[in-house]
Amino acid sequence: MKKKFPIILVIISCFVCIFCFTGCKKSDNLDELSANLTNYTLNIDYDDSNKSAQVKESVDYINNTDNILKTIKFHLYPQFFEEGYTDFVVSSTKMNEAYPNGMSYAKFEVLSVKVDNNDSAITYEGEADGILCVNLPASLLPEERITIEIEFYFTFPNCEHRFGYGENTINFGNFYPITCVYENGEFNTSGYNANGDPFYSDMANYSVTLNVDSAFKVAHTGYCTSSITTNNEKTMTISAKMVRDFAFVLSKNFEIKSTNVDDIKIDYYYFNDEQADAHLNAGVDAIRTFSDLFGDYPYATFTIVKTDFVYGGMEYPNLVMISADVENSDDYMNVIIHETAHQWWYNMVGNDEYKYPWLDEALTEYSTLLFYDNNSNYNLTHDQMVDACKANYTLFVSVYTDVLGNLDTSMRAVDEYNTEPEYTYCTYVKGVLMYDSLYNLIGKKTFISALKTYFNNNKYTNSIPEKLIEAFSNATGNDMHSFFDSWISGKVVIR
């Protein structure tokens, strides 16, 4: 997610300590597990002179629902970076940071759509025409496959965000049409929102060919299977199986440090970093710790990348973006640890981040606290972090109540928060306090056991709050619905 440490409350001049805390082995056979997933093939030609790309995308879509499909819908997230829609992706308080050289807009155009090699009728719907609807020539039955080819072109905005470029890097985040999740008899078509990470996707496989100037170094999801340089152009092929998304970052300024931990290659792509060794080690320690706490990290690679980014950090499968604006080394490691925890709570165990942002973010935030419990050399303690969260949360509630007269402290969908601070405090800070209350109530052993069960029972799927509550209910032998409902609904009073 984007609101990582440190977080500044805009309405009051108060620094907020949102604490993101930090032997693993690859145990799952991803080749077998990924056999019945949708396959994305992307051929990307990037033109740095125009900050543009032309992409041929082929989607081998499998109907993993119980319904007959006549249309398949795709998110077109880059549409929201076009003129007229940027308030969906950046709040008014972050505009100057996101656009340091003044407002800049993307251009995104779908050039053609084919279904099984035949031109297809398409329509658009939603804000910014952010949903592409592809009509199928015949009904797609459960477990049947169909091939959809989409050719598209875009120019980047000069924007330090998931999709955009800054002084040092070009961020390819959420840049391609991705299928909407189908659930409850329909496609989930939630749009973009400036609060949180408004994304929701299924596990899939990716095969990517990237053509770029040979001077670029590339930090990416998955692993590189080949790289060939001819006449100053580099062609890379990248594979990623059983992941929720695909992203990469380009830079001509990257330096790289690498290490191997239990057959996992961990890379750190960076520039201007005198503490690079320590920052790489934070990622190593995080992978080890979360593998021990929750379950093994099953992928062959994990990459940390320093990049031009308006918020503290952002998670993608096998890849975490860390903002170059986080200058303090302890804070920087804090972000690395938090974003690494998202490999468990977002990638391997997914959820609707638009409707239930707290489901992955609060758990990720508390997981980082557990990291520090298990890594005393980072000089942060459980009590220090919880006390800081409690102090900051009560101050936030007091000030907001004085200013507005009342405050909704429920944990809700990203589009239901009036401001970024509301989203931040109710999702992250209150989330830490909720889990710490539960931790103290049921004890460490039962708490960790419940999280391991939750992880193993929901790995590689999309979860819902009920499944989390069920894991804790089973671990404790008590119905935990009332506990969670009181926190989520905002009934709990924290003093």
Side-chain angles (χ1 to χ4, degrees), residues 212-231:
V212 294
D213 187 304
S214 60
F216 280 112
K217 294 177 182 176
V218 187
H220 55 81
T221 295
Y223 57 94
C224 181
T225 58
S226 71
S227 180
I228 301 172
T229 299
T230 306
N231 297 328

Side-chain angles (χ1 to χ4, degrees), residues 228-244:
I228 301 172
T229 299
T230 306
N231 297 328
N232 297 321
E233 181 176 88
K234 177 165 56 180
T235 298
M236 296 178 61
T237 56
I238 302 166
S239 178
K241 292 187 176 181
M242 209 75 182
V243 293
R244 216 163 279 284

Side-chain angles (χ1 to χ4, degrees), residues 9 32 139 172 187 191 210 216 273 330 352 410 441 446 479:
L9 175 58
E32 291 182 4
S139 297
F172 282 74
F187 285 100
L210 174 61
F216 280 112
D273 188 349
D330 288 341
D352 184 345
S410 65
L441 179 66
T446 303
D479 187 341

